[in-house]
Amino acid sequence: MSELEYDPNLHTAELDAREDHAPGDEPEESAGHWVRNSNLGLGFSIVLTLAAFLAVGSHLIWGPAVGVALIVLAIGQMGVHLVFFLHVTTGPDNTNNVLALAFGILVVFLIVAGSIWIMGHLSHNMMPMDRLMQMQP
Amino acid sequence: MSDLGLPAAVETLRRVREDPHRLGHRGHGPDSPVEGAGHGATGPARKRIVVGYGFWIFLLSDIVMFACFFAAFAVLRGATAGGPTPRDVVELPRVGLETAALLLSSYTCGLSFAATNARSLLWTQVFLLVTGLLGLAFVGLELQEFISLAARGITPQRSAFLTGFFGLVGLHGLHVTVAGMWLATMMAQVQVKGFRREIVHRLICFNLFWHALDIVWIGIFTIVYLMGVTP
């Protein structure tokens, strides 16, 4: 028996229900489970996408509220994709994945909202272009 | 049996109350420790977990980069310099087709991984091929859009808004193109090397990448296209 005979990294093909899981991965190996998840994801996504295009194409929603409705539908569809396609869930085996995702969302929020906020203020406080031109010597 | 089993029950109750999901404790306790669970004394996590989680971190950083482009687009949306407005740029029927192609490709990509789990070479290849063709259709539609826009004089150098538009949509298109090349590579590797461990790990990563691109596209078709035509 050599010392090298045992290598924990050798057994990487099968997952155990009791360990943590990376996104896109689950202990469930049966194809039917993955097909069912894909079907559900596709079904929900089609409904949400059609709703988004309908919200714009028809006048079912009060005009000024369309933007908010679109954002809500987009966030909902991203959630559907995360759960059914990427298999990121709220289960205890997914804690690390969800924490990383939460940090990513925080950074995305800071970048997008911060940029819009700061640049909006800058442009609001800027002197109109015609007056700026008059001040040129 | 002298204590009527009470202490054990109390002990269990206490453990469940303190830590209902046994976070960080799986692989311990009454069940035998799991080799490679990555907890405590059970050794390092399996490579399959390390690879998938590492790729997840990369994907999040990629999404942060997209967030920068989204932020630039949102800020520059009104800076049209007297040129075309978002309403002039958007053609909803084509965007609908692009969305359908990418969503269906995400679906077939998920099916290909189901086939991988069933260790079916044929169906893995078939679904990967369908995924690639749908991705190709998406890139083709987008190229057609860019060419027809350019023919109308709508190019990135026209205004800050158009720079943001072509930057964001083009970056996503570039990602899909590169992912398509990766897909072709994976098809060749699956064919030649079969379902070896590292090949399955790469398929997991490819699946994650493809689905993440679809998630970014949800943001693009909502914020750039649909909100471009709402009043």
Side-chain angles (χ1 to χ4, degrees):
Chain A
M1 295 272 276
S2 85
E3 284 177 49
L4 293 174
E5 197 158 300
Y6 172 69
D7 174 7
N9 289 328
L10 272 180
H11 313 281
T12 61
E14 67 284 344
L15 284 167
D16 191 289
R18 284 172 293 163
E19 63 194 28
D20 284 353
H21 301 115
D25 212 0
E26 277 185 271
E28 181 72 65
E29 289 273 337
S30 83
H33 167 85
W34 293 84
V35 172
R36 208 200 55 170
N37 256 343
S38 297
N39 288 339
L40 283 172
L42 180 71
F44 283 127
S45 297
I46 287 178
V47 170
L48 289 167
T49 306
L50 283 182
F53 277 82
L54 266 182
V56 172
S58 71
H59 297 284
L60 289 172
I61 298 178
W62 182 53
V66 170
V68 179
L70 287 176
I71 299 265
V72 171
L73 286 168
I75 292 175
Q77 198 177 340
M78 286 175 185
V80 166
H81 277 244
L82 279 177
V83 170
F84 292 108
F85 288 151
L86 279 89
H87 302 94
V88 173
T89 65
T90 53
D93 57 340
N94 259 287
T95 316
N96 290 327
N97 308 335
V98 172
L99 278 176
L101 177 66
F103 180 67
I105 291 175
L106 172 72
V107 175
V108 167
F109 172 79
L110 288 178
I111 289 174
V112 174
S115 298
I116 293 174
W117 184 35
I118 293 172
M119 297 309 284
H121 264 260
L122 269 180
S123 119
H124 182 75
N125 291 330
M126 206 158 84
M127 196 176 286
M129 198 51 94
D130 47 343
R131 277 186 54 200
L132 205 65
M133 297 298 252
Q134 286 169 13
M135 286 175 68
Q136 305 279 326
Chain B
M1 300 307 282
S2 58
D3 43 26
L4 304 169
L6 193 63
V10 169
E11 170 68 17
T12 309
L13 208 62
R14 188 184 62 78
R15 209 178 59 219
V16 168
R17 280 217 180 121
E18 278 179 357
D19 187 4
H21 294 307
R22 301 208 295 138
L23 289 177
H25 294 285
R26 277 173 312 297
H28 298 291
D31 302 318
S32 59
V34 182
E35 278 309 334
H39 299 299
T42 56
R46 291 180 205 284
K47 203 159 191 178
R48 179 163 172 152
I49 298 170
V50 173
V51 167
Y53 188 69
F55 199 76
W56 179 231
I57 302 293
F58 158 72
L59 276 182
L60 290 169
S61 74
D62 209 31
I63 285 172
V64 167
M65 181 176 71
F66 270 109
C68 297
F69 278 74
F70 270 109
F73 176 82
V75 167
L76 299 173
R77 198 167 169 271
T80 52
T85 59
R87 194 174 284 275
D88 302 323
V89 171
V90 175
E91 287 171 68
L92 274 191
R94 184 182 281 129
V95 177
L97 275 180
E98 286 174 1
T99 305
L102 210 56
L103 177 58
L104 279 177
S105 79
S106 228
Y107 175 64
T108 55
C109 195
L111 291 184
S112 88
F113 194 63
T116 302
N117 269 321
R119 294 294 181 268
S120 160
L121 186 65
L122 174 68
W123 286 109
T124 302
Q125 293 288 41
V126 166
F127 283 123
L128 280 179
L129 183 67
V130 175
T131 306
L133 291 178
L134 285 167
L136 200 64
F138 172 85
V139 174
L141 281 166
E142 196 162 277
L143 273 180
Q144 194 194 5
E145 176 190 14
F146 281 6
I147 290 170
S148 82
L149 285 178
R152 287 160 52 201
I154 301 178
T155 49
Q157 61 267 41
R158 176 65 187 82
S159 67
F161 154 64
L162 286 172
T163 308
F165 169 81
F166 280 105
L168 175 56
V169 180
L171 181 72
H172 179 266
L174 193 66
H175 269 76
V176 177
T177 311
V178 172
M181 293 176 194
W182 186 6
L183 187 150
T185 313
M186 284 322 300
M187 285 183 69
Q189 291 198 340
V190 167
Q191 195 61 43
V192 174
K193 303 182 177 184
F195 293 118
R196 274 171 20 193
R197 257 195 328 270
E198 64 270 28
I199 303 296
V200 173
H201 294 175
R202 285 171 205 169
L203 283 172
I204 292 175
C205 293
F206 171 74
N207 263 268
L208 283 174
F209 193 62
W210 197 267
H211 293 316
L213 289 185
D214 204 9
I215 290 183
V216 172
W217 179 252
I218 296 170
I220 291 183
F221 85 69
T222 301
I223 290 171
V224 176
Y225 289 103
L226 291 183
M227 290 179 80
V229 292
T230 49

